[in-house]
Every structure is written in structure tokens, then in C-alpha cells.
């Protein structure tokens, strides 16, 4: 028996993959040890195992294919992870800074490249490398809690402008170099690009919603759907004559709201990208480095000029924008730190430029120097600027994280559908919660797990992402309160029987205690027996005050989303007072006229509500208003009608119910006693009360 020593470069599939995966494993370890950005470490390891390093792997065949797949995946994830809400909120600042941080590097980059002897197309391509940027330093702002700062939000939004524009420049330059930039190209490109963009932006979210709510409830099928969307749009981009990476980025933007960042689907996409595809692209890119060429005087000169141009252009853009927007110096520093690092789009551009023959390997090595230096400078600036930024209160979308305490299988589907309507609208996550005591037997745990699987399926069938939580705690209300904090919930949806039998209680024991412990917007849902044919919002004079604004916003958004969820049923709004502020807020959410009725809201409900109505009542979280809702409106509502109480129980809500320490201890003891003797029931039922 004889052993054959493998020849280099490796060709055997097993050995080849072993070396590649070992390199991916080694790179982050080296990055932490040497305190380098992981992007730089993976590129350096790629050089080490590549043809100009140890010669273990050749950048051809399967390595080149996997590298190209990783490039598409990288641009797809870049589009998927961009915060579109931040962009919309700060769109003026983001568009202004995005335009400036694109135009200044394009101008300086083109002039400097022409001065170095590059032709016009190559100079424009290289300038587009410095015009884009990668949010390498964003985690530094996450760690210190300043991502909500206006400068950070503006810079993140600007990424959409710069990366999109840079990729389009790349596509046009590549076609021009191939001699295909003719009038026919423009006449076909613009309509084709418009059709592709409209098809992706309008069609993909609808297709995702349809598939996710039907056959795509299995998470593996959802992941495969996303992969099909990525490679289909990328291929269609090539068909119409632009680079596939533009299509991949467009697919990510189109599916941005369909794949919430905290969901299981996004975790799978991130996992596959971070552990395999994107590192393979970076390894393949590192194999382009030739250390002998990199150390040549001309390469060092070109790399030095490129680096100075990239950093100076980004600083000038950040300084001009910051001064125009009246930002502080730390905020200007944050804008520079977030926009200075060159990685994803830059790597994409030089790989495409090399493939089409626009630039040579000497230029690729010079660009690698820029990537390494900027990925070292930007984190250093971010480390100084991030802690100095103010930490503003960030307005959160209601559907960002919706926690739904569940126990009763009969009412669970309706609660999940209400929660899913919010999560789907905001690209958020539904967290169905089952709280059990430590003494729970195996049979009960089995029943809870069966309910867990059922409610996750309900959320997925509604087109929302769900991640269930099974919690063991001393009491139901303690479990709910702890989960709200741990999951950073933006909305709490709870079932309610529609009254209470215990004297002095508001909604029932568990709900009352949760109101006193969890300070966030809440929806208390009493499920009706009739199919919803109309949504009726009833507003009293307490909501007309500024303190009632958040509760009114919650009620109106609930009415809008649940009317759509019920098949587009009509919405009616009745206000106790003719108040212009209420009318304006209603028009912001709904295309309806406000009716005015001076009677008490319980009388209005009794007079106007029908059994097939969904009645939505906003209320402030103080005892008089809560008592009025629980004691009067629930009894006034017709039998069979659904009822939702929208409670503004946010931390700043005036008059909110806050327990003292003795009450909090009593709650825990009461919960422990109740759980030791009673079965788990839906929050707000007789057993809970």
C-alpha cells in the first residue's frame, strides 16, 4: 500500500475544502489576536494560502465560482441589513450626505487616477471604489448604544445612496469598456432597469408574503425561497446588461422588510453568509495579492495616493455635511468613521474590473492597501467618536418585537393574528410566550409545546416571523414582565375575557399586575364570535388631551392594520369632542371622516356598535380611565363583537399604575401560590383573576 503526496495547488475536493474551511476558521482567531478587523484578516489569510503565498490553492475552478457566489451573497446581505426606516426618517440628511460623500470621492478619485496615468474608464471605476463605503465600524456604535444618534442614522441611510450609485457606475463602465455603450444599450437598459427594479421592489415582497403564508411555513423552505430570489434577480440583471451584483443588492433591498433582523430566517441567512460564502469571497480576493508587486515602488506610490484620496474625500464630505446640518465635532467624526472604511462594494468593483480587463493586478494590490488602511483608520476614529455622541430616545416601530402571552388554545390564533399584523407591517418579530411554573408536570409541558408549534405556524401563515419563548417563572405576570425586558418588546398583546368578577380589579389579576410592572404599549383583546365586518374606533375627551396622543396613535394603527387583516373592511371613528387635533391624527392614519357624538363612550358603544364590529378603544393607563373601560364599555359592547383596548402604558404615561416594593413582593408571592394550585390559563381569565 502506497501513499501519494498531493500536488500543489490542491485539486482534490476534500483537501481543497478542508484548507478553505480551516482558513475561514483561522482568520477570526488571528483577527482577535492581532486586533485587526476580520475583513482584513480573512483577506490576508487568503493571500497566505493563495498562488503567491504558500501556493496551496489556486484562484480558479471551484474557488473562483464560490468566490463569485460569495460576492453576490455579500451584496445581497448589504441590501437586506440596511435600515430603511432610518433612511426614511432621516431621508433629507441621508440623501444630502450620500450625494456629497459620493460626488467628492468621485471627483477627486477620477482626477488623481488620471494623473497617475489611468485611462478615463479605469479612473472612473477606481473613483467609484472610494465613493462607496462599508459600515465596518457600525458595531462600535452599537456597543455604546449610540446607533440612534442623528449622525449615525444619516450615515447609515447614506449607504443606500452611495452603494447603489457606485454599483450603477460600475455596470455602465464595464459595458463601456466592452464596447457595448451604444444608444441601443441606453434605450434598452433604462426600461429594462425600470422593469427589473419595479418587479423586484413590488413583486418580491408580495411573492414572499404569499409563499410564507402558504407552503413556505417551514423555515428551510423560506430560506430556499430567499436564495432563489437572490440568484434569480442577480441573473436577470446580467440578462439586461448590468453586473449581477447590482441585482443581488436590489434583491436584498426588495426583501428588506420581509426578512426581519431578529427572526430565525435572518439568523440562517447571516449564519451561512458569515461562516461560508462571504469568507470564501474574501479568501478568493486575498489570493489576488502579490506581495512582490505590492512592495514595488510604483504600487506603493499608487496605493498611497489612493489611500490619501479616499480618506481626504470622505473627511471633506463628512465635514461639509456636518457643518451644513449643524452637527457637533463628535458627530462629524462619527460620519467620517462610518463612511471611510472601504470593503464590500470596493472589493466587488475591483474584482469585476479585473475580470473585464479594466484594471491589472498591480492596481488590485494597490487597492488592497487602501482597504487595509481604511479598515484600520475608521475603527480608530469610531472608538473615539462613538462614546462622545448623545444617546437619544429612539422611536420604535410598534411591530418591531411583539410579545404575546399565550396559554388558551382557543384564543391563541386570534391573538397571534393581531400580533402578526403589526410585525408584518414593520418587518418585525412575533414572540409567542408560554409561562409555566417550575412544578409543571411532563404532560402539561407537552401540551404547551404543542401549542407553541401551532401558534408559530399561525404567525408564519400570516406572513410574519415568529420566535417562541417557553419560560419557567414564579408567576405568570413575572414571566411576562421579565420576557418583555429580555426581548426588548415594542408591543404587548394579551387576551382578556372582557370583564372581571373580583371587586376592585380592573381587567383581571394577571393583566392588572402586568400593567403595574411592564411599561410599554399594550393591546388587550377580547375575541368575539362574529366575523369582523367593520372596525369602530371610539374616542373620548381624555384622549383629546396631549397625554392621550400615544394611545390614540396605537388605536388608529390597530384599526388600520386589523381592517386590512380582515379583508379591507371599513373603519369608522367616533370622537366625543370636535377636536381638530384628533381629526388630524385620524387623517394621518385613515382615509375616513370623524363623526362626533357628545355622549359618554360606553353609551356610544351601546348605541352604535354592532355584533360584527371590532371595537377599538384607546385609553390612558390611569385608574379612572382603565376602570371605565373594564367596567362599562365591555358590558356595553354587543354580544359577539370583538373588543380591543389600546393602552398607552409607556414609561412616560401620566398617572400610570406603579407598584411599591411591598406590592411587587406580594405579586410574586401571589403568583407562586396560584401556580402551585391552579392550571395555566389565558391571562385575564377567571382562574388568573
Amino acid at each position: 500500500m502506497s501513499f501519494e503526496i498531493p500536488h500543489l495547488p490542491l485539486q482534490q475536493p476534500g483537501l481543497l475544502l478542508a484548507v478553505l474551511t480551516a482558513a475561514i476558521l483561522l482568520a477570526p482567531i488571528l483577527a482577535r489576536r492581532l486586533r485587526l478587523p476580520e475583513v482584513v484578516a480573512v483577506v490576508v489569510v487568503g493571500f497566505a494560502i493563495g498562488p503567491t503565498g504558500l501556493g496551496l490553492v489556486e484562484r480558479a475552478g471551484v474557488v473562483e465560482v464560490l468566490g463569485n457566489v460569495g460576492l453576490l451573497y455579500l451584496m445581497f446581505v448589504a441590501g437586506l441589513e440596511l435600515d430603511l426606516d432610518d433612511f426614511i426618517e432621516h431621508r433629507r440628511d441621508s440623501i444630502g450626505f450620500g450625494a456629497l460623500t459620493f460626488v467628492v470621492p468621485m471627483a477627486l478619485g477620477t482626477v488623481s487616477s488620471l494623473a497617475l496615468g489611468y485611462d478615463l474608464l479605469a479612473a472612473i471605476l477606481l473613483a467609484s471604489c472610494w465613493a462607496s463605503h462599508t459600515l465596518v465600524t457600525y458595531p462600535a456604535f452599537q456597543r455604546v448604544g449610540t446607533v440612534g444618534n442623528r449622525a449615525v442614522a444619516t450615515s447609515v441611510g447614506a449607504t443606500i445612496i452611495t452603494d447603489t450609485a457606485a454599483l450603477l457606475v460600475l455596470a455602465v463602465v464595464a459595458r463601456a469598456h466592452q464596447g457595448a455603450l451604444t444608444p441601443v444599450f441606453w434605450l434598452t437598459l433604462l426600461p429594462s432597469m425600470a422593469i427589473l427594479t419595479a418587479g423586484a421592489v413590488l413583486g418580491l415582497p408580495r411573492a414572499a408574503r404569499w409563499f410564507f403564508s402558504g407552503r413556505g411555513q417551514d423555515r428551510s423552505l423560506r430560506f430556499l425561497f430567499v436564495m432563489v430570489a437572490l440568484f434569480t434577480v442577480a441573473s436577470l440583471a446580467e440578462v439586461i446588461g448590468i453586473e449581477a451584483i447590482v441585482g443581488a443588492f436590489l434583491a436584498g433591498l426588495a426583501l428588506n422588510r420581509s426578512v426581519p433582523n431578529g427572526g430565525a430566517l435572518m439568523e440562517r441567512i447571516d449564519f451561512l453568509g458569515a461562516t461560508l460564502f462571504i469568507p470564501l469571497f474574501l479568501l478568493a480576493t486575498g489570493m489576488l495579492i502579490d506581495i512582490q508587486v505590492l512592495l514595488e515602488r510604483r504600487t506603493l506610490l499608487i496605493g498611497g495616493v489612493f489611500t490619501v484620496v479616499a480618506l481626504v474625500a470622505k473627511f471633506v464630505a463628512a465635514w461639509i455635511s456636518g457643518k451644513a446640518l449643524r452637527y457637533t465635532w463628535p458627530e462629524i467624526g462619527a460620519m467620517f468613521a462610518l463612511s471611510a472604511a472601504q470593503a464590500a462594494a470596493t472589493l466587488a468593483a475591483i474584482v469585476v474590473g479585473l475580470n473585464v480587463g479594466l484594471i491589472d493586478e498591480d492596481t488590485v494590490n494597490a487597492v488592497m492597501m487602501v482597504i487595509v488602511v481604511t479598515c484600520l483608520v475608521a475603527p480608530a476614529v469610531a472608538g473615539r467618536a462613538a462614546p462622545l455622541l448623545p444617546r437619544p430616545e429612539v422611536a420604535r416601530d410598534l411591530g418591531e418585537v411583539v410579545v404575546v402571552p399565550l396559554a388558551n388554545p382557543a384564543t391563541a390564533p386570534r391573538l397571534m393574528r393581531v400580533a402578526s399584523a403589526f410585525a408584518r407591517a414593520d418587518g418585525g418579530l412575533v414572540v409567542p410566550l408560554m409561562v409555566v411554573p417550575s412544578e409543571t408536570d411532563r404532560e402539561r409541558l407537552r401540551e404547551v409545546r404543542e401549542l407553541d408549534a401551532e401558534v408559530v405556524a399561525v404567525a408564519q401563515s400570516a406572513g410574519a416571523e415568529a420566535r417562541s419563548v417557553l419560560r419557567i417563572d414564579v408567576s405568570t405576570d413575572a414571566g411576562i414582565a421579565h420576557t418583555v425586558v429580555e426581548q426588548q418588546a415594542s408591543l404587548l398583546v394579551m387576551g382578556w375575557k372582557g370583564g372581571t368578577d373580583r371587586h376592585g380589579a380592573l381587567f383581571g389579576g394577571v393583566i392588572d399586575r402586568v400593567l403595574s410592572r411592564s411599561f410599554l404599549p399594550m393591546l388587550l383583546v377580547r375575541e368575539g364570535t362574529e366575523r369582523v365586518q367593520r372596525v369602530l374606533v371610539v374616542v373620548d375627551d381624555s384622549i383629546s388631551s396631549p397625554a392621550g396622543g400615544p394611545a390614540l396613535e396605537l388605536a388608529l394603527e390597530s384599526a388600520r392594520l386589523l381592517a386590512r387583516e380582515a379583508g379591507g373592511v371599513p373603519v369608522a371613528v367616533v370622537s366625543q369632542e370636535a377636536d381638530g387635533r384628533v381629526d388630524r391624527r385620524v387623517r394621518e392614519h385613515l382615509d375616513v371622516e370623524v363623526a362626533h357624538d357628545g355622549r359618554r363612550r360606553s353609551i356610544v358603544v351601546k348605541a352604535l356598535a354592532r355584533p360584527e364590529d371590532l371595537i377599538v378603544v384607546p385609553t390612558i393607563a390611569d385608574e379612572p380611565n382603565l376602570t371605565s373601560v373594564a367596567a362599562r364599555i365591555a358590558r356595553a359592547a354587543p354580544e359577539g363583537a370583538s373588543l380591543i383596548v389600546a393602552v398607552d402604558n409607556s414609561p412616560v404615561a401620566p398617572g400610570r399604575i406603579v407598584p411599591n416594593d411591598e406590592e411587587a413582593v406580594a405579586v410574586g408571592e401571589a403568583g407562586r401560590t396560584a401556580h402551585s394550585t391552579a392550571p395555566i390559563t389565558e391571562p385575564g381569565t377567571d382562574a388568573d383573576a
Side-chain angles (χ1 to χ4, degrees):
M1 185 176 181
S2 61
F3 294 94
E4 184 178 348
I5 298 176
H7 296 287
L8 298 180
L10 299 172
Q11 300 295 329
Q12 297 89 339
L15 277 174
L16 186 61
L17 289 175
V19 170
L20 291 174
T21 51
I24 294 171
L25 174 65
L26 179 64
I29 297 174
L30 287 176
R32 295 186 187 97
R33 181 65 62 89
L34 301 176
R35 296 184 178 180
L36 291 173
E38 283 194 19
V39 172
V40 175
V42 180
V43 170
V44 170
V45 171
F47 153 72
I49 65 173
T52 59
L54 298 176
L56 299 177
V57 179
E58 186 179 17
R59 193 182 185 276
V62 67
V63 175
E64 188 173 15
V65 171
L66 290 174
N68 290 334
V69 170
L71 172 58
L72 295 178
Y73 205 94
L74 174 66
M75 299 314 300
F76 173 70
V77 172
L80 204 61
E81 291 185 338
L82 286 175
D83 194 328
L84 296 182
D85 291 328
D86 265 356
F87 175 72
I88 293 170
E89 183 179 351
H90 299 88
R91 56 187 177 276
R92 289 186 179 179
D93 294 354
S94 294
I95 291 172
F97 177 53
L100 201 60
T101 198
F102 176 81
V103 170
V104 173
M106 279 295 299
L108 293 180
T110 302
V111 171
S112 60
S113 296
L114 289 172
L116 289 170
Y118 289 95
D119 62 34
L120 181 60
L121 290 179
I124 293 174
L125 173 68
L126 290 168
S128 72
C129 292
W130 326 140
S132 64
H133 60 260
T134 304
L135 298 173
V136 170
T137 57
Y138 189 72
F141 296 89
Q142 285 180 313
R143 283 193 294 270
V144 297
T146 54
V147 293
N149 180 269
R150 57 184 180 174
V152 178
T154 296
S155 302
V156 172
T159 307
I160 300 176
I161 306 296
T162 58
D163 286 9
T164 302
L167 292 176
L168 290 175
V169 168
L170 171 62
V172 172
V173 168
R175 294 290 292 185
H177 178 70
Q178 295 166 352
L181 204 61
T182 62
V184 175
F185 168 77
W186 289 110
L187 290 174
T188 56
L189 174 67
L190 296 179
S192 300
M193 190 67 186
I195 293 172
L196 178 63
T197 302
V201 172
L202 300 177
L204 276 182
R206 287 178 170 82
R209 193 177 305 122
W210 169 79
F211 185 76
F212 291 173
S213 62
R215 297 184 180 275
Q217 295 184 31
D218 181 86
R219 285 171 178 163
S220 298
L221 293 178
R222 289 187 171 208
F223 177 79
L224 290 173
F225 173 87
V226 170
M227 293 298 100
V228 170
L230 157 61
F231 295 115
T232 299
V233 178
S235 300
L236 290 175
E238 283 190 307
V239 168
I240 67 173
I242 59 177
E243 292 300 322
I245 56 176
V246 178
F249 185 69
L250 179 61
L253 287 177
L255 290 173
N256 187 283
R257 292 188 181 278
S258 301
V259 184
N261 280 331
L265 179 56
M266 190 66 200
E267 288 178 1
R268 293 187 177 205
I269 293 170
D270 275 338
F271 176 78
L272 183 62
T275 58
L276 189 62
F277 282 147
I278 295 175
L280 284 172
F281 163 66
L282 296 174
L283 287 175
T285 304
M287 294 175 194
L288 296 171
I289 298 175
D290 187 332
I291 194 66
Q292 292 182 343
V293 174
L294 183 61
L295 295 178
E296 290 179 0
R297 182 175 298 177
R298 173 170 170 76
T299 305
L300 291 174
L301 172 64
I302 294 173
V305 172
F306 285 171
T307 302
V308 171
V309 167
L311 292 174
V312 168
K314 290 296 185 182
F315 177 77
V316 169
W319 181 77
I320 294 175
S321 297
K323 288 298 182 182
L325 297 171
R326 298 182 180 179
Y327 286 180
T328 63
W329 271 109
E331 289 176 321
I332 293 174
M335 295 171 72
F336 171 69
L338 285 162
S339 62
Q342 305 295 330
T346 302
L347 288 170
I350 62 166
V351 169
V352 172
L354 180 66
N355 290 339
V356 300
L358 255 174
I359 57 176
D360 55 21
E361 293 189 1
D362 293 0
T363 304
V364 171
N365 282 275
V367 173
M368 289 297 179
M369 182 190 301
V370 180
I371 292 172
V372 171
V373 174
T374 57
C375 285
L376 293 174
V377 171
V381 176
R384 289 180 174 273
L388 300 177
L389 298 179
R391 296 166 175 79
E393 287 292 329
V394 181
R396 301 180 65 194
D397 293 325
L398 287 169
E400 190 173 324
V401 180
V402 187
V403 173
V404 192
L406 300 168
N408 186 350
T411 59
R414 175 58 181 166
L415 294 178
M416 289 299 293
R417 283 192 291 272
V418 171
S420 298
F422 281 88
R424 186 177 63 243
D426 293 327
L429 183 69
V430 179
V431 181
L433 167 66
M434 277 66 68
V435 182
V436 297
S438 57
E439 302 86 1
T440 304
D441 56 35
R442 291 185 178 180
E443 180 62 23
R444 180 56 185 162
L445 281 175
R446 184 186 62 79
E447 294 174 0
V448 170
R449 289 195 174 97
E450 288 178 356
L451 177 60
D452 177 1
E454 291 174 6
V455 297
V456 169
V458 170
Q460 292 178 339
S461 67
E465 274 285 302
R467 183 183 63 220
S468 62
V469 172
L470 172 61
R471 185 179 187 93
I472 298 175
D473 218 315
V474 296
S475 65
T476 301
D477 53 284
I480 294 170
H482 294 155
T483 304
V484 162
V485 174
E486 290 172 357
Q487 299 292 326
Q488 297 183 358
S490 56
L491 178 66
L492 182 63
V493 178
M494 298 184 68
W496 175 43
K497 67 180 181 179
T500 179
D501 296 330
R502 185 164 63 85
H503 179 69
L506 298 174
F507 297 94
V510 171
I511 295 179
D512 291 355
R513 293 195 292 271
V514 170
L515 277 166
S516 68
R517 302 181 65 163
S518 299
F519 306 120
L520 76 166
M522 297 175 61
L523 294 179
L524 308 179
V525 182
R526 187 192 79 174
E527 185 173 18
T529 57
E530 300 293 328
R531 182 181 177 185
V532 174
Q533 299 293 328
R534 182 182 69 163
V535 178
L536 175 64
V537 183
V538 182
V539 181
D540 74 345
D541 57 357
S542 67
I543 299 301
S544 302
S545 66
L552 178 60
E553 296 278 349
L554 176 59
L556 294 174
E557 187 67 3
S558 301
R560 184 181 70 85
L561 294 175
L562 297 177
R564 181 194 300 170
E565 194 259 347
V569 300
V571 179
V573 181
V574 181
S575 177
Q576 191 176 28
E577 291 183 351
D579 190 303
R581 290 172 297 182
V582 172
D583 293 0
R584 281 194 301 272
R585 287 185 171 176
V586 171
R587 285 194 293 270
E588 289 173 2
H589 291 263
L590 304 165
D591 186 19
V592 299
E593 291 297 325
V594 180
H596 300 103
D597 193 318
R599 295 175 292 180
R600 287 186 315 193
R601 57 185 172 182
S602 58
I603 298 175
V604 172
V605 168
K606 190 169 185 178
L608 301 181
R610 304 191 294 256
E612 63 272 16
D613 282 345
L614 166 59
I615 306 165
V616 181
V617 181
T619 185
I620 301 172
D622 59 11
E623 192 162 345
N625 281 284
L626 294 175
T627 302
S628 172
V629 172
R632 296 173 183 161
I633 294 181
R635 288 198 297 268
E639 186 176 352
S642 299
L643 174 62
I644 291 181
V645 180
V647 184
D648 170 34
N649 200 37
S650 57
V652 295
R656 72 182 187 199
I657 303 172
V658 182
N660 57 36
D661 292 341
E662 293 181 3
E663 288 173 334
V665 173
V667 165
E669 293 298 326
R672 187 179 298 110
T673 304
H675 278 308
S676 65
T677 58
I680 304 167
T681 58
E682 188 71 10
T685 60
D686 290 338
D688 286 320

